[in-house]
Amino acid sequence: MNSAENFMQNKQLSNQTENQPLQRLLTRPDIWQLANRQQQRRTGISSGYRGLDALLANHGWPRGATTEFLVDKAGIGEMSLILPTLAEMTRQGRMVILVNPPHIPYAPALVQAGVQLEKLLILHPRGQRDQLWAAEQSLQSGACGALVNWQNSETPADKDLRRLQIAAREGDCLHFHFRPGSSALSPSPATLRLQLKSDGEQLALHLLKQLNGKSGQRIHLARNPRLVRRDQPLH
C-alpha cells in the first residue's frame, strides 16, 4: 500500500469514528429529521372529522406521538372529539386504555359510537408517580392502539411529558393527554396541542401547536350531547 492509499484509508476510518456519535444521535426517537418529512406525510390517523383532518399536518392525529387537549372544564363533550378514532382502534382489534378518566365512561354511548368494550381498559393508578409509570409502560408496550390520560392536580414535569412522547413513538401508539387550559402558557414537547371550549351546541377548537404544520386555526365541531357531563367528577 502506497502512502496515498494509506492516507485515504486512515481518513475513512477517522470519518467513521467521528460519525458514530452523530449516527447514535440520529437514531433517537425524539430527534426529528427534515429528510424524513416526506415519508411522514399522510401518515396520520383520521379524526373522523373531515374539517379537522384538513387542518392537521398529516391529515389526522399524529401517529406515535402525544396530542394534548387543553380543557378548562371536563365534561364539555371533549370525548366526542376522539371517539371516532377510539372506536376504529377497537374495531381493528387494538387495545384502548383510559388512565384516570374524571367521569365514569357511559357504556351505552360508547357502544353507540362503535367502541368495542372488550377492547377498552380503564386504569386508576394511585398518585402521580404510578399514573406516569402506567401510561409510559402502556404506550411503549406495542400492544396499545391508543391511550388517553387525564392530568390530575399535580403538574407533570417537562421530562415526564417528554418520556411519554418518546414512549408513544416507541410503541407506535396514539397518545391523547387532557390537561387544564392554564397549561397553554407552558411549553410542551407534545406534537399537537389543541385548546377546547364549549360554545353552545358545539365544541370550539383552537389549534395552538403542531409539528410540521400551521397553527392558530379555529374550528367548531358538533358534539354528542350524550357525552356531555351530567354527574359529578370522580376526582
Side-chain angles (χ1 to χ4, degrees):
M1 181 182 297
N2 57 38
S3 57
E5 291 173 336
N6 188 45
F7 173 79
M8 291 301 297
Q9 188 178 56
N10 290 337
K11 183 67 175 177
Q12 290 174 352
L13 291 172
S14 176
N15 289 340
Q16 289 175 2
T17 302
E18 292 174 355
N19 288 335
Q20 284 179 0
L22 176 60
Q23 292 302 322
R24 284 199 298 268
L25 181 65
L26 293 177
T27 59
R28 286 178 46 171
D30 57 334
I31 299 296
W32 176 74
Q33 300 179 50
L34 180 62
N36 291 339
R37 183 172 180 175
Q38 293 295 330
Q39 299 175 11
Q40 293 174 350
R41 285 181 176 173
R42 295 185 180 278
T43 58
I45 297 177
S46 176
S47 68
Y49 297 92
R50 185 176 301 178
L52 177 58
D53 285 350
L55 297 180
L56 300 178
N58 293 321
H59 303 278
W61 302 123
R63 187 190 299 270
T66 296
T67 294
E68 281 188 358
F69 299 118
L70 309 177
V71 187
D72 286 323
K73 183 180 180 182
I76 60 173
E78 67 273 20
M79 286 298 291
S80 299
L81 187 59
I82 57 175
L83 264 186
T85 304
L86 301 186
E88 180 59 26
M89 285 288 117
T90 61
R91 282 195 292 267
Q92 293 177 9
R94 307 289 304 276
M95 184 66 70
V96 169
I97 299 178
L98 309 182
V99 182
N100 274 344
H103 307 284
I104 298 174
Y106 187 47
L110 296 178
V111 171
Q112 187 180 44
V115 175
Q116 309 294 312
L117 296 183
E118 64 272 18
K119 290 294 181 182
L120 185 68
L121 179 65
I122 302 174
L123 302 178
H124 288 286
R126 294 181 177 178
Q128 173 86 332
R129 185 175 179 180
D130 286 355
Q131 180 173 349
L132 290 172
W133 182 86
E136 183 178 18
Q137 295 299 311
S138 300
L139 286 169
Q140 67 184 10
S141 68
C144 180
L147 181 138
V148 188
N149 70 314
W150 285 259
Q151 180 176 312
N152 56 24
S153 57
E154 296 183 56
T155 302
D158 183 72
K159 65 179 180 61
D160 293 325
L161 296 174
R162 198 170 297 279
R163 287 179 61 174
L164 295 180
Q165 166 90 348
I166 293 173
R169 184 168 298 182
E170 290 177 345
D172 192 25
C173 182
L174 288 169
H175 177 212
F176 299 121
H177 189 184
F178 285 101
R179 306 185 64 193
S182 58
S183 301
L185 302 176
S186 304
S188 168
T191 298
L192 177 65
R193 303 186 89 190
L194 292 165
Q195 190 165 46
L196 312 182
K197 292 186 177 180
S198 176
D199 187 3
E201 298 300 321
Q202 296 182 317
L203 193 63
L205 279 65
H206 182 195
L207 207 162
L208 299 179
K209 169 193 172 184
Q210 67 168 332
L211 193 64
N212 304 331
K214 297 180 180 179
S215 59
Q217 305 96 320
R218 299 176 186 271
I219 186 172
H220 284 67
L221 301 175
R223 56 181 182 174
N224 186 338
R226 299 189 68 184
L227 295 171
V228 177
R229 181 176 65 88
R230 291 189 177 87
D231 56 357
Q232 295 299 314
L234 295 175
H235 52 79

